[in-house]
Amino acid sequence: MKAIVLKEFGGVDKLQIQDIDIPVLKTGEVLVKVKALSVNPVDTLTRANKVEIANLLEQYDPIILGWDFSGVIEEIGDHVQEFKVGDAVFGMVNFPGHGRAYAEYITVSVDQIALKPSNITHEAAAASTLAALTAWQAFTSYGKLRPNDKVLIHAASGGVGHYAVQMAKYLGAYVIGTSSAKNKEFVMELGADEHIDYRSVKFEEEVSDIDFVLESIGGDNFQKSVKVLKEFGTMVVLPSGYTEEDEVAAKAKQLHGSHFMCVYSSARDMKIIADLLGKGIIRAHISHIFDFKEMDKAHLQLKSGNTVGKVVVCIY
């Protein structure tokens, strides 16, 4: 099979297509022929050796990046009962470990996948894995978003953010989303109640008494966000940097929770996301679709910082 391998860290030129063996099934796994996958910031950061997960190179040679996929089951391992050959499935495989999703075939444990809703494409399904799981787990696992909570979602037009807006509305919250002015209409169409253009307005001077903040920007954005939270409010921080000073500020405000989260693979949560997608409660917004041979372009697009929603790569 063809796979995109990474033998050393660096630029997009380090992503090389090679022919390798199809992976061997283990007990409790299924073999999936991948139809589509999505690319996330962690992919580009790992390639460039800028995140802790990059110690993969010490364990595997070569590394095959990628964690998000959608495809069709071609073989089932021992003790697999809930899936059959021919089922269309999607999920986030083995995060934060060696995902190996940049390949024509992957093996994945059944405790990490769900059936793909029949009314969405493989591209939409692949886009609705790591980013959608991050948003869902931020609101239901790391923090507890309650009906009528006022939530501030930073980078509301991004991969995680655009799911977060939709999910927060589904959970009954009042949603304020930040993005650039050009993406205001998009954020409002997702269901946001208010929009803040972070380039022209200081959000910390515009909002107050926030119950829950989903922070993904980094830098001094955490400190600014603490200022707008209610006492005993909740902050969930995506991997964007979290310092000792941030922790001190959180404790001073007596936040109910200040959580630095790492999304994790979960069939239970994937089934919830599948249900939300199937019912049309949430939807994936895909801004760019690339061919498997254009993985370098997919990485560069994501690295540009100008992506609305998700970047997807197809394997046909």
Side-chain angles (χ1 to χ4, degrees), residues 64-92:
I64 300 176
L65 295 177
W67 292 271
D68 293 356
F69 78 93
S70 181
V72 177
I73 294 176
E74 294 224 338
E75 188 178 346
I76 59 175
D78 293 338
H79 306 305
V80 174
Q81 298 179 340
E82 58 266 57
F83 299 98
K84 65 182 185 299
V85 172
D87 281 345
V89 295
F90 72 127
M92 180 181 72

Side-chain angles (χ1 to χ4, degrees), residues 97-111:
H98 193 199
R100 299 173 61 91
Y102 288 8
E104 291 183 301
Y105 292 89
I106 62 169
T107 54
V108 56
S109 173
V110 295
D111 63 5

Side-chain angles (χ1 to χ4, degrees), residues 190-207:
L190 293 170
D193 298 284
E194 294 183 38
H195 174 270
I196 295 175
D197 172 14
Y198 73 92
R199 289 178 175 170
S200 63
V201 174
K202 293 181 178 180
F203 74 87
E204 66 272 24
E205 297 178 356
E206 295 293 315
V207 298

Side-chain angles (χ1 to χ4, degrees), residues 8 40 67 104 140 147 150 159 161 165 167 172 188 196 219 274 282 310-311:
E8 59 180 311
N40 298 286
W67 292 271
E104 291 183 301
T140 64
K150 186 186 292 187
V165 171
M167 290 174 178
M188 298 301 291
I196 295 175
I282 65 172
K310 292 289 296 175
V311 172

